[in-house]
Amino acid sequence: MKKFVTLFTASYKELRYVRTITIAAMFGAIAIILGMFSINFGNYIRLSFASIPNGLISCLFGPVVGGLFSGSMDVLKYLLKPNGAFFPGLTLVTVLSGVIYGCFYYKKAITLKRVLISKLIVMLICNVVLNTLCLSILYGKGFMVLLPARALKNLVMWPIDSMIFYSMVKALDSIGVFKIIQKPGTAGLK
């Protein structure tokens, strides 16, 4: 339990640094651009790779910053490109996904197994159950009516999203991006 509290405390302390806010803003711009190229299949199913920057921020700065980033990006993307009605429950689910990613990735080695497990948990809890519940409330459709298509989409996207995120993390790590970003004294960014 102490490690869990320390994880959140360390992540909260990341908010003190200008570099954290600056890097989050840059990744936010990338998330907005990726969100603009999402593919919608009606009101209930959307394919997008905008979650990649959310996972990277959670990996770099932890669950507190990851949750705040994910929630703020959800609201900002909606303001820039409204798609359907706004529902605060969906934003809270996005915050939860950022927190979950932060718990799995922050100050830990990113392995394919860790990515697969974290993506599976987020897809099951957040995407399949909670988002479907929010959509059911928002659009007045039955939960069980929406569930099969959303579960199938997430099941198909699980290995694809996992491989894309894992490959992105490994590529950024191999060229030294994470070392530059995480180094507290780099070029006065602290």
Side-chain angles (χ1 to χ4, degrees):
M1 182 67 176
K2 190 174 183 178
K3 286 183 181 181
F4 193 68
V5 172
T6 305
L7 182 75
F8 279 85
T9 306
S11 178
Y12 176 73
K13 288 179 182 177
E14 292 279 358
L15 289 170
R16 294 185 299 178
Y17 301 112
V18 173
R19 72 176 164 80
T20 302
I21 307 303
T22 307
I23 292 165
M26 288 188 289
F27 276 101
I30 294 168
I32 290 169
I33 292 167
L34 288 173
M36 294 293 176
F37 295 106
S38 62
I39 301 166
N40 295 314
F41 298 100
N43 290 328
Y44 313 114
I45 297 177
R46 177 176 47 197
L47 294 177
S48 174
F49 296 105
S51 66
I52 294 170
N54 295 357
L56 290 172
I57 288 293
S58 296
C59 176
L60 291 168
F61 304 117
V64 173
V65 179
L68 289 172
F69 178 81
S70 297
S72 61
M73 283 298 101
D74 186 65
V75 172
L76 190 59
K77 283 187 273 186
Y78 179 78
L79 292 173
L80 293 173
K81 184 183 173 188
N83 187 10
F86 180 77
F87 188 66
L90 291 169
T91 301
L92 292 175
V93 172
T94 306
V95 169
L96 178 62
S97 69
V99 170
I100 292 171
Y101 286 139
C103 290
F104 271 90
Y105 302 149
Y106 187 52
K107 296 185 177 183
K108 296 179 175 96
I110 305 297
T111 62
L112 183 57
K113 181 180 177 181
R114 184 179 303 277
V115 171
L116 284 167
I117 292 170
S118 67
K119 289 280 185 184
L120 181 65
I121 289 171
V122 167
M123 286 187 167
L124 286 177
I125 294 172
C126 297
N127 297 355
V128 174
V129 176
L130 295 176
N131 276 351
T132 305
L133 180 64
C134 289
L135 290 172
S136 173
I137 294 167
L138 182 64
Y139 293 111
K141 299 278 184 182
F143 179 82
M144 294 307 290
V145 172
L146 299 174
L147 187 65
R150 293 187 51 78
L152 179 64
K153 176 251 180 187
N154 280 282
L155 183 63
V156 169
M157 290 304 294
W158 170 52
I160 296 168
D161 282 351
S162 298
M163 287 306 299
I164 289 172
F165 183 76
Y166 179 74
S167 300
M168 183 71 67
V169 168
K170 288 303 173 187
L172 291 173
D173 191 35
S174 70
I175 60 175
V177 172
F178 291 149
K179 288 178 185 171
I180 294 169
I181 290 174
Q182 291 177 328
K183 192 173 182 182
T186 56
L189 292 176
K190 189 173 180 183

